[in-house]
Amino acid sequence: DAMVIQNPRYQVTQFGKPVTLSCSQTLNHNVMYWYQQKSSQAPKLLFHYYDKDFNNEADTPDNFQSRRPNTSFCFLDIRSPGLGDAAMYLCATSRGSGRAHEQFFGPGTRLTVL
Amino acid sequence: KNEVEQSPQNLTAQEGEFITINCSYSVGISALHWLQQHPGGGIVSLFMLSSGKKKHGRLIATINIQEKHSSLHITASHPRDSAVYICAVRSDSNYQLIWGAGTKLIIKP
């Protein structure tokens, strides 16, 4: 089935140790999004790619970077995770970023920082 | 005041009951989404609406654009429907999603 896949589902890292989260999609969608969701809060958009065009939200910390080597894959790199970066990280895709494009979400990766 | 308000925040009901969750918004939108999130889980998109009504199985979503209000209904509720239901609107100015705080639904057997 076409879908958005995130690996791993659970990731444990140490304070300051770089970590990479992975997202892949079989929907052939142009847009891929990364959200951060902390406990009992709404997801917060970190950045999105429209094809190879990278769009960073103004308040996304520099500690967070992203790569999209091809249409199917998008990576979230956290260079030096702090305790405050522990959260659920959600990847989503949409065909376009315009008016009527629905976002499809992956199952998320829960990041724990020790 | 939040741009997207959901009510109730928490809802506990017995299996079989008809459930209604409400969403009001104050911005111009191009679409409204209803999403479901199980505890510790990812988000599943249930509906995307820009007018009228949609039905999928036991779920029904309606939207009134003039009143800036949407409802999500669950008929014959079941314990597996227990989850957080989130309303999110797509702004018509920058197409970003603006999220409601979610409604935590518990269905007791």
Side-chain angles (χ1 to χ4, degrees), chain A residues 20-103:
Chain A
T20 294
L21 309 183
S22 164
C23 177
S24 63
Q25 53 128 343
T26 59
L27 297 157
N28 205 32
H29 281 172
N30 297 107
V31 191
M32 294 186 79
Y33 307 80
W34 278 106
Y35 289 89
Q36 179 194 63
Q37 186 182 26
K38 296 189 175 179
S39 184
S40 303
Q41 295 183 20
K44 178 179 176 300
L45 183 65
L46 296 173
F47 24 60
H48 74 277
Y49 273 95
Y50 194 120
D51 294 327
K52 287 187 182 286
D53 241 359
F54 178 68
N55 299 273
N56 200 31
E57 293 303 300
D59 55 355
T60 298
D62 291 340
N63 202 20
F64 291 85
Q65 311 259 306
S66 185
R67 297 171 281 136
R68 189 178 186 187
N70 54 52
T71 300
S72 301
F73 284 88
C74 194
F75 300 99
L76 170 62
D77 300 307
I78 309 176
R79 289 194 294 189
S80 182
L83 298 177
D85 296 327
M88 173 76 90
Y89 289 88
L90 296 161
C91 174
T93 74
S94 64
R95 184 164 298 158
S97 60
R99 299 177 68 86
H101 290 113
E102 186 171 3
Q103 289 188 23

Coordinates of all heavy atoms in Angstrom, one line a residue, chain A residues 20-103:
Chain A
T20 N 19.8 10.9 13.5 CA 19.1 11.1 12.2 C 17.8 10.3 12.2 O 17.8 9.1 12.5 CB 20.0 10.7 11.0 OG1 21.1 11.6 10.9 CG2 19.2 10.8 9.7
L21 N 16.7 10.9 11.9 CA 15.4 10.3 11.7 C 15.1 10.2 10.2 O 15.4 11.1 9.5 CB 14.3 11.0 12.5 CG 14.6 11.3 13.9 CD1 13.4 12.0 14.6 CD2 15.0 10.1 14.7
S22 N 14.4 9.1 9.8 CA 14.2 8.9 8.4 C 12.7 8.8 8.1 O 11.9 8.3 8.9 CB 14.9 7.5 8.1 OG 14.4 7.1 6.8
C23 N 12.4 9.3 6.9 CA 11.0 9.3 6.4 C 11.1 8.9 4.9 O 11.9 9.4 4.2 CB 10.3 10.6 6.5 SG 8.7 10.7 5.9
S24 N 10.2 8.0 4.5 CA 10.1 7.6 3.1 C 8.7 7.6 2.7 O 7.8 7.3 3.6 CB 10.8 6.3 2.8 OG 10.2 5.3 3.4
Q25 N 8.4 7.8 1.4 CA 7.0 7.8 1.0 C 6.9 7.1 -0.4 O 7.8 7.2 -1.2 CB 6.5 9.2 0.9 CG 7.4 10.2 0.1 CD 6.6 10.9 -1.0 OE1 5.5 10.6 -1.4 NE2 7.2 12.0 -1.5
T26 N 5.8 6.4 -0.6 CA 5.5 5.7 -1.9 C 4.4 6.4 -2.6 O 3.9 5.9 -3.6 CB 5.2 4.3 -1.6 OG1 4.0 4.2 -0.8 CG2 6.3 3.5 -1.0
L27 N 4.0 7.6 -2.1 CA 2.9 8.4 -2.7 C 3.4 9.2 -3.9 O 2.5 9.8 -4.6 CB 2.3 9.2 -1.7 CG 1.6 8.5 -0.5 CD1 1.5 9.3 0.7 CD2 0.3 7.9 -0.9
N28 N 4.7 9.4 -4.1 CA 5.2 10.3 -5.1 C 4.8 11.7 -4.9 O 4.5 12.4 -5.9 CB 4.9 9.7 -6.5 CG 5.9 10.2 -7.6 OD1 7.1 10.4 -7.3 ND2 5.4 10.4 -8.8
H29 N 4.6 12.1 -3.7 CA 4.2 13.5 -3.4 C 5.4 14.5 -3.5 O 6.5 14.1 -3.2 CB 3.6 13.6 -2.0 CG 2.2 13.1 -2.0 ND1 1.5 12.9 -0.8 CD2 1.3 12.7 -3.0 CE1 0.3 12.4 -1.1 NE2 0.2 12.3 -2.4
N30 N 5.0 15.7 -3.9 CA 6.1 16.7 -4.1 C 6.6 17.3 -2.8 O 7.7 17.7 -2.6 CB 5.5 17.9 -4.9 CG 5.1 17.5 -6.3 OD1 3.9 17.4 -6.6 ND2 6.1 17.2 -7.1
V31 N 5.7 17.4 -1.8 CA 6.0 18.1 -0.5 C 6.2 17.1 0.6 O 5.4 16.1 0.8 CB 4.9 19.1 -0.2 CG1 5.3 20.0 0.9 CG2 4.5 19.9 -1.4
M32 N 7.2 17.3 1.4 CA 7.4 16.5 2.6 C 7.7 17.5 3.7 O 8.4 18.5 3.6 CB 8.6 15.6 2.4 CG 8.4 14.5 1.4 SD 9.6 13.2 1.3 CE 9.3 12.2 2.7
Y33 N 7.1 17.2 4.9 CA 7.1 18.0 6.1 C 7.7 17.3 7.2 O 7.5 16.1 7.4 CB 5.6 18.4 6.5 CG 4.8 19.0 5.4 CD1 4.1 18.2 4.5 CD2 4.5 20.4 5.3 CE1 3.3 18.7 3.5 CE2 3.7 20.9 4.4 CZ 3.1 20.1 3.5 OH 2.2 20.6 2.5
W34 N 8.3 18.0 8.1 CA 8.7 17.5 9.4 C 8.1 18.3 10.5 O 8.2 19.6 10.5 CB 10.2 17.5 9.6 CG 11.0 16.4 9.0 CD1 11.7 16.4 7.9 CD2 11.0 15.0 9.5 NE1 12.2 15.1 7.6 CE2 11.8 14.3 8.6 CE3 10.5 14.4 10.6 CZ2 12.1 12.9 8.8 CZ3 10.7 13.0 10.7 CH2 11.5 12.3 9.8
Y35 N 7.4 17.6 11.4 CA 6.8 18.3 12.6 C 7.4 17.7 13.9 O 7.8 16.6 13.9 CB 5.3 17.9 12.7 CG 4.4 18.6 11.6 CD1 4.2 17.9 10.4 CD2 3.7 19.8 11.9 CE1 3.3 18.5 9.4 CE2 2.9 20.3 10.9 CZ 2.7 19.7 9.7 OH 1.8 20.2 8.8
Q36 N 7.4 18.6 14.9 CA 7.8 18.2 16.2 C 6.6 18.3 17.1 O 5.9 19.3 17.1 CB 8.9 19.1 16.8 CG 9.3 18.7 18.2 CD 10.2 19.8 18.8 OE1 9.7 20.9 19.0 NE2 11.4 19.5 19.1
Q37 N 6.3 17.2 17.8 CA 5.1 17.2 18.7 C 5.5 16.8 20.1 O 6.0 15.7 20.4 CB 4.0 16.3 18.2 CG 2.7 16.4 19.1 CD 1.6 15.4 18.6 OE1 1.9 14.4 18.1 NE2 0.4 15.8 18.9
K38 N 5.4 17.7 21.0 CA 5.7 17.4 22.4 C 4.5 17.0 23.1 O 3.4 17.3 22.6 CB 6.4 18.7 23.1 CG 7.7 19.0 22.5 CD 8.5 20.0 23.3 CE 9.9 20.2 22.7 NZ 10.7 21.2 23.4
S39 N 4.6 16.4 24.3 CA 3.5 15.8 25.0 C 2.4 16.8 25.2 O 2.6 17.9 25.6 CB 4.0 15.3 26.3 OG 3.0 14.6 27.0
S40 N 1.2 16.3 24.8 CA -0.1 17.1 25.0 C -0.1 18.4 24.2 O -0.9 19.3 24.6 CB -0.4 17.4 26.5 OG -0.4 16.1 27.2
Q41 N 0.8 18.5 23.2 CA 0.8 19.8 22.4 C 0.4 19.4 21.0 O 0.6 18.3 20.5 CB 2.1 20.5 22.5 CG 2.5 21.0 23.9 CD 3.8 21.7 23.9 OE1 4.3 22.2 22.8 NE2 4.4 21.8 25.0
A42 N 0.0 20.4 20.2 CA -0.2 20.3 18.8 C 1.2 20.1 18.1 O 2.2 20.6 18.6 CB -0.9 21.5 18.3
P43 N 1.2 19.4 17.0 CA 2.4 19.4 16.2 C 2.9 20.8 15.8 O 2.1 21.6 15.4 CB 2.0 18.5 15.0 CG 0.9 17.7 15.4 CD 0.1 18.6 16.4
K44 N 4.2 21.0 15.7 CA 4.8 22.2 15.3 C 5.6 22.0 14.1 O 6.5 21.1 14.1 CB 5.7 22.8 16.5 CG 6.4 24.1 16.2 CD 7.2 24.5 17.4 CE 8.0 25.7 17.1 NZ 9.0 25.5 16.0
L45 N 5.3 22.7 13.0 CA 6.1 22.5 11.8 C 7.5 23.0 11.9 O 7.7 24.2 12.3 CB 5.3 23.3 10.6 CG 6.0 23.2 9.2 CD1 5.9 21.7 8.7 CD2 5.2 24.1 8.3
L46 N 8.4 22.2 11.6 CA 9.9 22.6 11.6 C 10.3 23.1 10.3 O 10.9 24.2 10.2 CB 10.7 21.3 12.0 CG 10.5 20.7 13.4 CD1 11.3 19.4 13.5 CD2 10.9 21.7 14.5
F47 N 10.1 22.3 9.2 CA 10.4 22.7 7.8 C 9.6 21.8 6.9 O 9.1 20.8 7.3 CB 11.9 22.7 7.6 CG 12.7 21.8 8.4 CD1 12.5 20.4 8.4 CD2 13.8 22.3 9.2 CE1 13.2 19.6 9.2 CE2 14.5 21.4 10.0 CZ 14.3 20.1 10.0
H48 N 9.7 22.3 5.6 CA 9.2 21.4 4.6 C 10.0 21.6 3.3 O 10.6 22.6 3.1 CB 7.7 21.6 4.3 CG 7.3 22.9 3.6 ND1 7.2 24.1 4.2 CD2 7.0 23.1 2.3 CE1 6.9 25.0 3.4 NE2 6.8 24.5 2.2
Y49 N 9.9 20.6 2.5 CA 10.5 20.6 1.1 C 9.4 20.6 0.1 O 8.5 19.8 0.2 CB 11.4 19.3 0.9 CG 12.8 19.4 1.4 CD1 13.1 18.9 2.6 CD2 13.8 19.9 0.5 CE1 14.4 19.0 3.0 CE2 15.1 20.0 1.0 CZ 15.4 19.5 2.2 OH 16.7 19.5 2.6
Y50 N 9.5 21.5 -0.9 CA 8.7 21.4 -2.1 C 9.6 20.9 -3.2 O 10.4 21.7 -3.6 CB 8.0 22.7 -2.4 CG 6.9 22.5 -3.5 CD1 5.6 22.8 -3.2 CD2 7.2 21.9 -4.7 CE1 4.6 22.6 -4.1 CE2 6.1 21.7 -5.6 CZ 4.9 22.1 -5.3 OH 3.9 21.9 -6.2
D51 N 9.6 19.7 -3.5 CA 10.6 19.1 -4.4 C 11.9 19.3 -3.7 O 12.1 18.9 -2.5 CB 10.6 19.6 -5.8 CG 9.3 19.3 -6.5 OD1 8.8 18.2 -6.3 OD2 8.8 20.1 -7.3
K52 N 12.9 19.9 -4.3 CA 14.2 20.1 -3.7 C 14.3 21.5 -2.9 O 15.3 21.8 -2.3 CB 15.3 20.1 -4.7 CG 15.6 18.7 -5.2 CD 16.8 18.6 -6.1 CE 17.0 17.2 -6.7 NZ 17.5 16.3 -5.7
D53 N 13.2 22.3 -3.0 CA 13.2 23.6 -2.4 C 12.9 23.4 -0.9 O 11.9 23.0 -0.5 CB 12.0 24.3 -3.0 CG 12.4 25.6 -3.7 OD1 13.6 25.9 -3.7 OD2 11.5 26.2 -4.2
F54 N 13.9 23.9 -0.1 CA 13.8 23.8 1.4 C 13.2 25.0 2.0 O 13.6 26.2 1.6 CB 15.2 23.6 1.9 CG 15.3 23.5 3.4 CD1 14.7 22.4 4.1 CD2 15.9 24.5 4.2 CE1 14.8 22.3 5.4 CE2 16.0 24.4 5.5 CZ 15.4 23.3 6.2
N55 N 12.2 24.8 2.9 CA 11.5 26.0 3.5 C 11.6 25.8 5.0 O 11.0 24.9 5.6 CB 10.1 26.0 3.1 CG 9.9 26.2 1.6 OD1 9.9 27.4 1.1 ND2 9.9 25.2 0.8
N56 N 12.4 26.6 5.7 CA 12.6 26.5 7.1 C 11.6 27.5 7.8 O 11.5 28.6 7.4 CB 14.0 27.0 7.4 CG 14.5 26.5 8.7 OD1 14.1 25.4 9.2 ND2 15.4 27.2 9.3
E57 N 11.0 27.0 8.9 CA 10.2 27.9 9.7 C 11.1 28.8 10.5 O 12.2 28.4 10.9 CB 9.3 27.1 10.7 CG 8.2 26.3 10.0 CD 7.3 27.1 9.1 OE1 6.7 28.0 9.6 OE2 7.3 26.9 7.9
A58 N 10.6 30.0 10.7 CA 11.5 31.1 11.3 C 12.0 30.7 12.7 O 13.1 31.0 13.1 CB 10.7 32.4 11.4
D59 N 11.2 29.9 13.5 CA 11.6 29.6 14.8 C 12.2 28.2 15.0 O 12.3 27.7 16.1 CB 10.4 29.9 15.8 CG 9.2 29.1 15.4 OD1 9.2 28.4 14.3 OD2 8.2 29.1 16.1
T60 N 12.5 27.6 13.9 CA 13.1 26.2 14.0 C 14.6 26.4 14.4 O 15.3 27.1 13.8 CB 13.0 25.5 12.7 OG1 11.7 25.3 12.3 CG2 13.8 24.1 12.7
P61 N 15.0 25.8 15.5 CA 16.4 25.9 16.0 C 17.4 25.5 14.9 O 17.1 24.5 14.2 CB 16.5 25.1 17.2 CG 15.0 24.9 17.7 CD 14.2 24.9 16.4
D62 N 18.6 26.1 14.9 CA 19.7 25.7 14.0 C 20.1 24.3 14.2 O 20.7 23.7 13.3 CB 20.9 26.7 14.2 CG 20.5 28.1 13.8 OD1 19.6 28.2 13.0 OD2 21.2 29.0 14.2
N63 N 19.9 23.8 15.4 CA 20.2 22.4 15.7 C 19.5 21.4 14.8 O 20.0 20.2 14.7 CB 19.7 22.2 17.2 CG 20.4 21.1 17.9 OD1 21.5 20.7 17.5 ND2 19.8 20.6 18.9
F64 N 18.5 21.8 14.2 CA 17.7 20.9 13.3 C 18.0 21.2 11.9 O 17.9 22.3 11.4 CB 16.2 21.1 13.5 CG 15.7 20.6 14.9 CD1 15.8 21.4 16.0 CD2 15.2 19.4 15.0 CE1 15.3 21.0 17.2 CE2 14.7 18.9 16.3 CZ 14.8 19.8 17.4
Q65 N 18.3 20.1 11.1 CA 18.6 20.2 9.7 C 17.8 19.1 9.0 O 17.4 18.2 9.6 CB 20.1 20.0 9.5 CG 21.0 20.8 10.4 CD 21.6 22.0 9.7 OE1 22.2 21.9 8.6 NE2 21.4 23.2 10.3
S66 N 17.7 19.3 7.7 CA 17.0 18.3 6.9 C 17.7 18.1 5.6 O 18.4 19.0 5.1 CB 15.6 18.7 6.7 OG 14.8 17.7 6.1
R67 N 17.5 16.9 5.1 CA 18.0 16.5 3.7 C 16.9 15.8 3.0 O 16.2 15.0 3.6 CB 19.3 15.6 3.9 CG 20.5 16.2 4.6 CD 21.5 15.1 4.8 NE 21.2 14.3 5.9 CZ 21.3 12.9 5.9 NH1 21.6 12.3 4.9 NH2 21.0 12.2 7.0
R68 N 16.9 16.1 1.7 CA 15.9 15.3 0.8 C 16.7 14.9 -0.4 O 16.7 15.6 -1.4 CB 14.7 16.1 0.5 CG 13.7 15.3 -0.2 CD 12.4 16.0 -0.6 NE 11.4 15.2 -1.1 CZ 10.2 15.6 -1.6 NH1 9.9 16.9 -1.6 NH2 9.4 14.7 -2.1
P69 N 17.4 13.7 -0.4 CA 18.2 13.3 -1.5 C 17.4 13.0 -2.8 O 18.0 13.0 -3.9 CB 18.9 12.1 -1.0 CG 18.1 11.6 0.1 CD 17.4 12.8 0.7
N70 N 16.2 12.6 -2.6 CA 15.3 12.3 -3.8 C 13.9 12.4 -3.4 O 13.6 12.8 -2.2 CB 15.6 10.8 -4.3 CG 15.5 9.8 -3.2 OD1 14.5 9.7 -2.5 ND2 16.5 9.0 -3.1
T71 N 12.9 12.2 -4.3 CA 11.5 12.4 -4.0 C 11.0 11.6 -2.9 O 10.2 12.0 -2.1 CB 10.7 12.0 -5.3 OG1 11.1 12.9 -6.3 CG2 9.2 12.2 -5.0
S72 N 11.6 10.3 -2.7 CA 11.0 9.4 -1.8 C 11.5 9.6 -0.4 O 10.8 9.2 0.6 CB 11.3 8.0 -2.2 OG 10.8 7.7 -3.5
F73 N 12.7 10.1 -0.2 CA 13.3 10.1 1.2 C 13.5 11.5 1.7 O 13.9 12.4 0.9 CB 14.6 9.4 1.2 CG 14.5 7.9 1.1 CD1 14.4 7.2 -0.1 CD2 14.5 7.2 2.3 CE1 14.3 5.9 -0.2 CE2 14.3 5.8 2.2 CZ 14.2 5.1 1.0
C74 N 13.3 11.7 3.0 CA 13.6 12.9 3.7 C 14.2 12.6 5.1 O 13.6 11.7 5.7 CB 12.4 13.8 3.8 SG 12.7 15.5 4.2
F75 N 15.2 13.3 5.5 CA 15.9 13.0 6.7 C 15.8 14.2 7.6 O 15.9 15.3 7.2 CB 17.3 12.6 6.5 CG 17.5 11.3 5.7 CD1 17.8 11.4 4.3 CD2 17.3 10.1 6.2 CE1 17.9 10.3 3.5 CE2 17.4 8.9 5.5 CZ 17.8 9.0 4.1
L76 N 15.7 13.9 8.9 CA 15.8 15.0 9.9 C 17.0 14.7 10.7 O 17.2 13.6 11.3 CB 14.5 15.0 10.8 CG 14.6 15.8 12.1 CD1 14.8 17.3 11.7 CD2 13.3 15.7 12.9
D77 N 18.0 15.7 10.7 CA 19.2 15.5 11.5 C 19.1 16.5 12.7 O 18.9 17.7 12.5 CB 20.4 15.9 10.6 CG 20.6 15.0 9.4 OD1 20.5 13.8 9.6 OD2 20.7 15.6 8.3
I78 N 19.4 15.9 13.9 CA 19.5 16.8 15.1 C 20.9 16.7 15.5 O 21.5 15.7 15.9 CB 18.5 16.3 16.2 CG1 17.1 16.1 15.7 CG2 18.6 17.3 17.3 CD1 16.1 15.6 16.7
R79 N 21.6 17.8 15.4 CA 23.1 17.8 15.5 C 23.6 17.6 16.9 O 24.5 16.9 17.1 CB 23.6 19.2 15.0 CG 23.5 19.3 13.5 CD 24.4 20.4 12.9 NE 23.9 21.7 13.4 CZ 24.3 22.9 13.0 NH1 25.3 22.9 12.1 NH2 23.9 24.0 13.5
S80 N 22.9 18.2 17.8 CA 23.3 18.1 19.2 C 22.1 18.1 20.1 O 21.7 19.1 20.6 CB 24.3 19.3 19.6 OG 24.7 19.1 21.0
P81 N 21.4 16.9 20.2 CA 20.2 16.9 20.9 C 20.3 17.3 22.4 O 21.2 16.9 23.1 CB 19.7 15.4 20.8 CG 20.6 14.8 19.7 CD 21.8 15.6 19.7
G82 N 19.3 18.1 22.8 CA 19.2 18.4 24.2 C 18.0 17.7 24.8 O 17.2 17.2 24.0
L83 N 17.9 17.8 26.1 CA 16.7 17.2 26.7 C 15.4 17.7 26.2 O 14.4 17.0 26.2 CB 16.8 17.3 28.3 CG 18.1 16.7 28.9 CD1 18.1 17.0 30.4 CD2 18.2 15.2 28.7
G84 N 15.4 19.0 25.9 CA 14.2 19.6 25.4 C 13.8 19.2 24.0 O 12.7 19.5 23.5
D85 N 14.6 18.4 23.3 CA 14.3 17.9 22.0 C 13.6 16.6 22.0 O 13.2 16.0 21.0 CB 15.6 17.8 21.1 CG 16.2 19.1 20.9 OD1 15.5 20.1 20.8 OD2 17.5 19.2 20.8
A86 N 13.4 16.0 23.2 CA 12.7 14.8 23.3 C 11.2 15.0 22.9 O 10.6 15.9 23.5 CB 12.7 14.2 24.7
A87 N 10.7 14.3 21.9 CA 9.4 14.6 21.4 C 9.1 13.5 20.4 O 9.9 12.6 20.1 CB 9.4 15.9 20.7
M88 N 7.9 13.5 19.9 CA 7.5 12.7 18.7 C 7.7 13.6 17.5 O 7.4 14.7 17.4 CB 6.0 12.4 18.8 CG 5.4 11.7 17.6 SD 5.9 10.0 17.5 CE 4.5 9.2 18.4
Y89 N 8.4 13.0 16.5 CA 8.7 13.6 15.3 C 7.9 13.0 14.2 O 8.0 11.8 13.9 CB 10.2 13.6 14.9 CG 11.0 14.5 15.9 CD1 11.4 14.0 17.1 CD2 11.2 15.8 15.6 CE1 12.1 14.8 18.0 CE2 11.8 16.7 16.5 CZ 12.2 16.2 17.7 OH 12.9 17.0 18.6
L90 N 7.1 13.8 13.5 CA 6.1 13.4 12.5 C 6.5 13.8 11.1 O 6.8 15.0 11.0 CB 4.7 13.9 12.8 CG 4.1 13.4 14.1 CD1 3.0 14.3 14.6 CD2 3.6 12.0 14.0
C91 N 6.5 12.9 10.2 CA 6.7 13.3 8.8 C 5.4 13.2 8.1 O 4.5 12.4 8.4 CB 7.7 12.2 8.2 SG 8.0 12.4 6.4
A92 N 5.2 14.1 7.2 CA 4.0 14.2 6.4 C 4.3 14.5 5.0 O 5.3 15.1 4.7 CB 3.0 15.2 7.0
T93 N 3.4 14.1 4.1 CA 3.6 14.5 2.7 C 2.3 15.0 2.1 O 1.2 14.8 2.6 CB 4.0 13.2 1.8 OG1 2.8 12.4 1.6 CG2 5.1 12.4 2.5
S94 N 2.4 15.8 1.0 CA 1.2 16.2 0.3 C 1.6 16.4 -1.2 O 2.8 16.6 -1.5 CB 0.6 17.5 0.8 OG 1.5 18.6 0.7
R95 N 0.6 16.3 -2.0 CA 0.9 16.3 -3.5 C 1.4 17.7 -3.8 O 2.3 17.9 -4.6 CB -0.4 16.1 -4.3 CG -0.1 16.0 -5.8 CD -1.2 15.4 -6.5 NE -1.4 14.0 -6.1 CZ -2.5 13.3 -6.2 NH1 -3.6 13.8 -6.7 NH2 -2.5 12.0 -5.8
G96 N 0.9 18.8 -3.2 CA 1.3 20.1 -3.4 C 1.1 20.9 -2.1 O 0.7 20.3 -1.1
S97 N 1.5 22.1 -2.2 CA 1.3 22.9 -0.9 C 0.1 23.9 -1.1 O -0.1 24.8 -0.3 CB 2.6 23.7 -0.6 OG 2.9 24.6 -1.6
G98 N -0.6 23.8 -2.1 CA -1.7 24.7 -2.4 C -3.0 24.4 -1.6 O -3.0 23.6 -0.7
R99 N -4.1 25.0 -2.0 CA -5.3 25.1 -1.3 C -5.9 23.8 -0.8 O -6.3 23.6 0.3 CB -6.3 25.8 -2.1 CG -6.0 27.2 -2.5 CD -7.0 27.8 -3.4 NE -8.3 28.0 -2.7 CZ -8.6 29.1 -2.0 NH1 -7.7 30.1 -1.9 NH2 -9.7 29.2 -1.4
A100 N -5.9 22.8 -1.7 CA -6.7 21.6 -1.4 C -5.9 20.4 -1.2 O -6.4 19.3 -1.5 CB -7.8 21.5 -2.5
H101 N -4.7 20.5 -0.8 CA -3.8 19.3 -0.7 C -3.8 18.8 0.7 O -3.3 19.4 1.6 CB -2.4 19.7 -1.3 CG -2.4 19.9 -2.7 ND1 -2.1 21.1 -3.3 CD2 -2.6 19.1 -3.8 CE1 -2.2 21.0 -4.6 NE2 -2.5 19.8 -4.9
E102 N -4.3 17.6 0.8 CA -4.3 16.9 2.1 C -2.9 16.4 2.5 O -2.2 16.0 1.6 CB -5.3 15.7 2.0 CG -5.6 15.0 3.3 CD -6.7 14.0 3.1 OE1 -7.2 13.8 2.0 OE2 -7.0 13.3 4.1
Q103 N -2.6 16.5 3.7 CA -1.4 16.0 4.2 C -1.6 14.5 4.8 O -2.6 14.3 5.5 CB -0.8 16.8 5.3 CG -0.3 18.2 4.8 CD 0.4 19.0 5.9 OE1 0.9 18.4 6.9 NE2 0.5 20.3 5.7

